Amino acid sequence: MLALDVMQADPWYNKTDHKRLRAMIEVLAHACLSIQHDADIEAILNRQRAPAREERESGMGDLFGFDEFSQAEAQDADAPEVDGFDAEADDSAGFHRRHQIDVEKRPRDAQTPSLRIIYRKLASALHPDRESDPEERARKTALLQRANQSYKNGDLLALLGLQLEIAMVDAAHLSSLADAQVKDYVRALKAQLADLEDEITLIEQDLRINMPFAASAGKLDPRAIDTLIEQELDALEMVEGELKSVLSRKAEVRFMKSWLREQERSSQALAEESWDEALAALEDFLAQELSPRRRRR
């Protein structure tokens, strides 16, 4: 992206070349900023938008006879957003951060009676001050820290696991549980299951967004993730090799002009393919909705 930005100062590139350069720089800048904020890249992106916007406004004015923007309006339009990243940018990373925060803010079950009862029993059994043996005191201190964190997180499953680990649960204990307590356990564990399913969904969404091979896969099987990552790495190495080859010839104006044309054709082909898929889906939907339905007898 930085190399393409430098090329814009070369007088050998014409107006069409500059338009193609700006389009590529914008795409690359959005991709970079969606991963990590960078003031230099953001400044380049904001600089690219002004000429592109002027071209769109001029084209609309020529076609429909619209009045041109005033200078003040143009400055307002070109002003960067408060966050420095406008709505045109890919907000997938921000969406996942917001979704993750929503999951974390979901009310936990730390106030359920069953959770409190189990935690108190564990805290009593694991109190390190009651141990004279240094090794046993250290072991119970570590276990109590785990119990504290599990209780803070409302993690009933972890607390039950700690009970099993220190042999506080046996067949007689299980048989003595009241039905209401068992139902409370089940309710709390179902809430934890919902949280875990949300976390799995977030992980799968991240994989599908950031890994094209995962995006095209059906149901994601954890056992197949290593294979998908290897495929992604092979593809990235291939792209890296192609980019290094292009950058090694960036001083060759004729070659770079040809490369820019090819990139534009590829982008247009991808856009047309997406539109074709969207139109086909819409046609299928309309065909189903508008088809005559049998009347019930």
Side-chain angles (χ1 to χ4, degrees):
M1 188 201 71
L2 297 175
L4 295 178
D5 184 51
V6 172
M7 286 168 52
Q8 289 185 311
D10 194 323
W12 288 103
Y13 292 100
N14 58 31
K15 185 176 180 180
T16 302
D17 297 328
H18 283 286
K19 182 179 178 181
R20 290 167 178 160
L21 282 168
R22 282 198 303 273
M24 287 200 63
I25 290 171
E26 284 196 38
V27 169
L28 293 170
H30 285 315
C32 292
L33 291 175
S34 68
I35 298 170
Q36 182 177 354
H37 175 74
D38 186 286
D40 294 334
I41 292 177
E42 187 176 332
I44 291 173
L45 176 60
N46 290 330
R47 191 171 68 246
Q48 301 302 321
R49 290 183 181 137
R53 187 176 287 111
E54 289 173 3
E55 288 179 2
R56 290 195 296 269
E57 292 165 1
S58 176
M60 294 293 286
D62 294 340
L63 183 60
F64 297 106
F66 291 161
D67 293 333
E68 294 184 359
F69 282 170
S70 67
Q71 185 175 0
E73 291 172 331
Q75 289 176 351
D76 290 340
D78 292 336
E81 298 286 332
V82 174
D83 294 331
F85 197 37
D86 70 359
E88 295 177 1
D90 180 7
D91 193 33
S92 59
F95 165 77
H96 288 297
R97 285 193 295 272
R98 292 193 299 273
H99 195 132
Q100 183 65 46
I101 291 171
D102 291 340
V103 171
E104 291 173 354
K105 285 184 177 179
R106 176 175 296 169
R108 294 286 186 175
D109 297 290
Q111 303 304 320
T112 60
S114 296
L115 206 72
R116 287 196 297 270
I117 291 171
I118 294 175
Y119 172 72
R120 287 170 182 169
K121 289 181 179 180
L122 283 168
S124 177
L126 296 173
H127 205 294
D129 293 343
R130 298 174 182 173
E131 291 295 336
S132 56
D133 182 35
E135 292 185 2
E136 186 64 14
R137 186 186 302 117
R139 186 183 76 87
K140 286 193 173 183
T141 299
L143 290 171
L144 185 58
Q145 289 175 348
R146 287 168 54 190
N148 290 336
Q149 188 62 44
S150 299
Y151 180 68
K152 180 181 178 181
N153 295 337
D155 193 343
L156 175 62
L157 187 60
L159 292 178
L160 292 172
L162 278 170
Q163 280 192 320
L164 288 171
E165 187 174 337
I166 63 176
M168 288 182 63
V169 177
D170 54 20
H173 172 79
L174 292 174
S175 63
S176 66
L177 292 176
D179 290 343
Q181 193 172 6
V182 172
K183 290 180 180 178
D184 198 21
Y185 284 2
V186 172
R187 185 166 53 252
L189 291 173
K190 283 183 177 179
Q192 283 187 239
L193 176 61
D195 284 348
L196 291 172
E197 289 174 343
D198 282 344
E199 290 180 22
I200 292 173
T201 299
L202 283 174
I203 293 171
E204 289 187 352
Q205 288 175 346
D206 285 337
L207 286 173
R208 293 185 187 279
I209 288 173
N210 297 306
M211 296 173 55
F213 286 100
S216 60
K219 184 177 180 180
L220 290 180
D221 188 334
R223 293 169 295 185
I225 296 300
D226 287 344
T227 302
L228 290 173
I229 291 176
E230 289 176 0
Q231 292 174 343
E232 292 292 338
L233 287 174
D234 291 341
L236 287 174
E237 288 177 357
M238 185 180 300
V239 171
E240 181 186 21
E242 293 175 357
L243 288 177
K244 285 182 177 179
S245 176
V246 171
L247 289 175
S248 68
R249 302 180 62 181
K250 63 182 179 181
E252 302 176 28
V253 176
R254 181 176 296 180
F255 168 78
M256 293 304 300
K257 283 175 174 281
S258 175
W259 182 76
L260 287 170
R261 284 195 299 272
E262 184 59 33
Q263 296 303 307
E264 185 180 51
R265 291 194 193 101
S266 298
S267 297
Q268 291 174 349
L270 286 173
E272 291 171 0
E273 183 178 346
S274 298
W275 273 108
D276 289 342
E277 292 177 357
L279 288 174
L282 178 60
E283 288 176 358
D284 291 342
F285 171 76
L286 292 176
Q288 293 176 3
E289 290 296 315
L290 299 178
S291 60
R293 298 178 180 177
R294 295 181 180 180
R295 295 181 178 179
R296 294 183 177 178
R297 295 181 177 178

